[in-house]
């Protein structure tokens, strides 16, 4: 042992002092080259046995260890769910703040706590009421646009009739051409825009917004997007189907618009203009509307004035 120790010290000393091309370095490199395949083969042979040993080790782990691991896994799962929910809530609130800021809305935030369970009405219940300054007829919106209007108020809750309810009606217009109409709820959850003259320029994909006429909804809020436009040969008005911009299934927070400013209501001149020329004006981009406005209309039926 003493001799081998002395030899090892001498070899280490020579190894450190000689250069990379020295005999000991050369010998070490040759041994490594020869033994590498053997080590790789040994690792491949031992790998299944190591895995089998881990399996047996897990099977023979103590009950306390397994309980601790299960507890840790449950805590981590709950934490992930909590963080995901917090992120989703933050995104919804950010959207509401964006809507409030963009339209300068005088509003109160509320949370949806219930939804109608019958097939005859489309309503939701929010967690604020008359004690918070809410009243019947106040409009309600989420980050995407109009949701509906308050129809019943209790001290700590209120019922909101959704725009998709058959009893709902909103004065509306085509955002681009300002063509006027009335948006009505439909049983299938879509909307229909009524009383839009066939002289108007309406196309699929057009955005429908509130007109501010009537003084209930602030003008300019999104209602939905035109899904289809059609008319029979002798009809005076288009049949326009609108997909609602907002849905309540995946939303919990809403804004109740408590009052309107002068800028948010239609002026007497705007009302008179809407009555005199309900078909609106020409498109701002001067795009032709023939192929898109009406699948069954005449070629000149889609042109605005």
């Amino acid at each position: 042992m003493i001799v081998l120790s002395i030899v090892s010290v001498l070899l280490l000393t020579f190894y450190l002092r000689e250069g990379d091309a020295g005999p000991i370095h050369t010998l070490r490199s040759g041994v490594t080259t020869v033994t590498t395949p053997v080590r790789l083969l040994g690792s491949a042979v031992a790998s299944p046995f190591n895995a089998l040993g881990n399996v047996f080790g897990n099977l023979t782990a103590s009950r306390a260890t397994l309980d601790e691991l299960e507890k840790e896994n449950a805590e981590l799962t709950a934490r992930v769910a909590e963080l995901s929910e917090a992120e989703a809530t933050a995104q919804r609130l950010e959207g509401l703040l964006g809507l409030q800021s963009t339209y300068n809305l005088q509003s109160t935030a509320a949370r949806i706590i219930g939804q109608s369970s019958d097939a005859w009405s489309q309503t939701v219940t929010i967690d604020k009421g008359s004690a918070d300054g809410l009243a019947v007829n106040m409009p309600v919106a989420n980050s995407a646009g109009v949701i509906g209007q308050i129809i019943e108020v209790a001290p700590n809750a209120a019922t909101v009739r959704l725009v998709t309810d058959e009893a709902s009606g909103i004065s509306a217009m085509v955002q681009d051409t300002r063509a006027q109409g009335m948006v009505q709820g439909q049983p299938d959850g879509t909307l229909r825009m009524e009383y839009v003259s066939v002289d108007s320029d309406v196309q699929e994909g057009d955005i429908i917004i509130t007109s501010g006429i009537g003084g209930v909804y602030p003008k300019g809020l999104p209602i939905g997007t035109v899904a289809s436009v059609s008319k029979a040969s002798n009809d005076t008005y288009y049949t326009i189907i609108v997909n609602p911009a907002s849905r309540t299934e995946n939303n919990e927070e809403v804004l109740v618009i408590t009052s309107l400013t002068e800028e948010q209501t239609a002026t007497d001149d705007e009302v008179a203009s809407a009555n005199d020329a309900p078909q609106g004006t020409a498109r701002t981009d001067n795009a032709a509307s023939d192929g898109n406005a009406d699948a069954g209309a005449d070629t000149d039926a889609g042109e605005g004035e």
Side-chain angles (χ1 to χ4, degrees):
M1 184 179 297
I2 294 174
V3 172
L4 291 176
S5 298
I6 293 173
V7 171
S8 297
V9 171
L10 291 175
L11 289 175
L12 179 61
T13 302
F14 291 143
Y15 180 83
L16 294 175
R17 289 180 178 275
E18 71 176 1
D20 292 339
I24 299 178
H25 279 77
T26 303
L27 180 62
R28 182 177 183 273
S29 176
V31 172
T32 301
T33 303
V34 172
T35 59
T36 295
V38 178
R39 286 189 287 115
L40 292 176
L41 179 61
S43 176
V45 172
S47 180
F49 295 98
N50 291 334
L52 187 61
N54 291 332
V55 170
F56 281 110
N58 292 333
L59 292 176
T60 57
S62 66
R63 184 70 255 177
T65 301
L66 294 177
D67 290 343
E68 184 66 24
L69 291 174
E70 290 177 356
K71 179 181 178 181
E72 182 179 350
N73 182 65
E75 291 176 351
L76 291 175
T77 301
R79 183 60 176 165
V80 169
E82 180 182 352
L83 292 175
S84 299
E85 179 62 20
E87 181 182 8
T89 300
Q91 290 176 348
R92 293 195 301 269
L93 293 176
E94 184 178 357
L96 289 181
L97 290 175
L99 182 77
Q100 186 181 47
S101 175
T102 300
Y103 293 93
N104 191 27
L105 299 175
Q106 306 298 314
S107 59
T108 297
R111 182 181 293 271
I112 296 176
I113 58 175
Q115 196 159 357
S116 60
S117 57
D118 60 82
W120 309 106
S121 63
Q122 297 286 330
T123 62
V124 294
T125 303
I126 57 177
D127 64 351
K128 291 188 178 179
S130 57
D132 304 287
L134 305 190
V136 172
N137 292 331
M138 285 183 176
V140 181
N142 65 8
S143 58
V146 175
I147 280 182
Q149 185 179 13
I150 293 178
I151 57 173
E152 294 181 6
V153 177
N156 298 312
T159 301
V160 179
R161 175 187 288 141
L162 302 179
V163 293
T164 51
D165 189 280
E166 291 183 85
S168 175
I170 306 174
S171 295
M173 60 183 174
V174 180
Q175 185 179 52
D176 200 15
T177 65
R178 322 309 278 184
Q180 302 286 326
M182 179 71 69
V183 171
Q184 303 279 348
Q186 299 298 306
D188 61 358
T190 61
L191 305 172
R192 177 174 292 181
M193 193 169 182
E194 310 272 358
Y195 312 119
V196 179
S197 169
V198 294
D199 295 327
S200 305
D201 184 356
V202 185
Q203 301 180 10
E204 290 184 14
D206 279 344
I207 297 174
I208 307 302
I209 60 175
T210 53
S211 66
I213 296 175
V216 175
Y217 291 90
K219 64 182 179 183
L221 285 182
I223 298 175
T225 305
V226 174
S228 65
V229 185
S230 61
K231 79 173 186 69
S233 57
N234 297 320
D235 282 353
T236 304
Y237 302 112
Y238 282 123
T239 298
I240 302 175
I241 303 300
V242 178
N243 287 329
S246 61
R247 298 283 185 179
T248 60
E249 292 87 350
N250 299 319
N251 287 276
E252 297 179 12
E253 295 82 16
V254 296
L255 287 179
V256 180
I257 301 168
T258 55
S259 62
L260 304 183
T261 64
E262 291 184 3
E263 293 78 13
Q264 292 170 340
T265 58
T267 64
D268 293 339
D269 291 341
E270 289 174 328
V271 175
S273 175
N275 292 331
D276 293 340
Q279 69 272 22
T281 60
R283 288 185 179 273
T284 56
D285 59 1
N286 295 320
S289 61
D290 293 348
N292 301 322
D294 184 359
D298 297 330
T299 56
D300 62 347
E303 297 177 356
E305 294 186 4

